[in-house]
Amino acid sequence: MIEFPAADVPAAQIALEELDLIYAFIYARVGNRADAEDLTQQVALKAIPRLRAEAAAASIRAYLFATARSVLAGFWAHRFGLPEEELREDVAPPAQHPPPGPRAESGAAATRATRILEALPANYRRVLELRFLRGYSLKEVAAETGSTVGGIKVMQLRALRAAAKVETDA
């Protein structure tokens, strides 16, 4: 059992409450309960002692996920015998920066995307929302929908073709 100084109790308590999310995040990427539990424990042992007592819950959650990505990179590097640097791009989430250059106004783009999604059948809409709006992998979408990865690939292709045909000039 890890004991924390009294000043760190609020931050540590928040972190402990977030560990279920960290476990789910890790389990989705390793697919093995025992490995996910071990890696979640490593995240807790690395992150919790370093938390600042005055840190906000969002900061604590972000730090836990960053630590989880680092632990996952180490796990996969060890598993595949690769340097961690080669895996960091695959484990890290995409940058939250907008693409350079001109772009459509975000409000108009969001309205157009909503109209397109609403015009699609429910199963196509669900696949596109999970893949592109929530960032799920094909495997995660298959698990969420109870389908196979191959089935999701086909459905995604059909959904994108159907979305391309939707008239949005209303």
Side-chain angles (χ1 to χ4, degrees):
M1 184 75 162
I2 301 173
E3 292 190 26
F4 302 102
D8 292 344
V9 171
Q13 187 62 37
I14 292 168
L16 291 172
E17 291 169 1
E18 297 292 331
L19 285 180
D20 286 339
L21 289 174
I22 299 299
Y23 172 79
F25 174 78
I26 292 172
Y27 181 78
R29 280 143 185 86
V30 298
N32 179 328
R33 182 177 160 200
D35 286 339
E37 289 172 355
D38 290 344
L39 294 171
T40 303
Q41 185 176 18
Q42 286 180 27
V43 169
L45 291 172
K46 280 185 172 183
I48 292 175
R50 295 183 176 122
L51 293 175
R52 294 177 319 203
E54 70 278 357
S59 298
I60 292 169
R61 181 180 298 127
Y63 184 67
L64 288 170
F65 277 100
T67 304
R69 287 189 297 273
S70 175
V71 167
L72 278 168
F75 170 79
W76 289 116
H78 179 72
R79 173 82 41 109
F80 292 124
L82 298 171
E84 282 186 42
E85 293 75 32
E86 288 185 32
L87 295 172
R88 291 220 189 265
E89 293 175 4
D90 294 336
V91 175
Q96 298 297 323
H97 307 357
R103 64 178 196 165
E105 186 177 320
S106 62
T111 302
R112 182 169 183 244
T114 301
R115 272 190 268 140
I116 290 170
L117 288 172
E118 288 174 350
L120 296 175
N123 58 340
Y124 286 1
R125 181 174 45 249
R126 180 82 173 136
V127 167
L128 293 181
E129 286 174 347
L130 292 174
R131 285 286 289 143
F132 300 112
L133 299 180
R134 295 192 183 172
Y136 281 32
S137 69
L138 289 169
K139 187 177 179 182
E140 291 170 327
V141 174
E144 181 83 16
T145 60
S147 186
T148 65
V149 172
I152 294 302
K153 285 181 182 180
V154 170
M155 193 178 306
Q156 177 181 315
L157 176 64
R158 290 177 182 168
L160 289 171
R161 285 182 179 166
K165 293 178 182 178
V166 172
E167 187 62 42
T168 60
D169 296 330

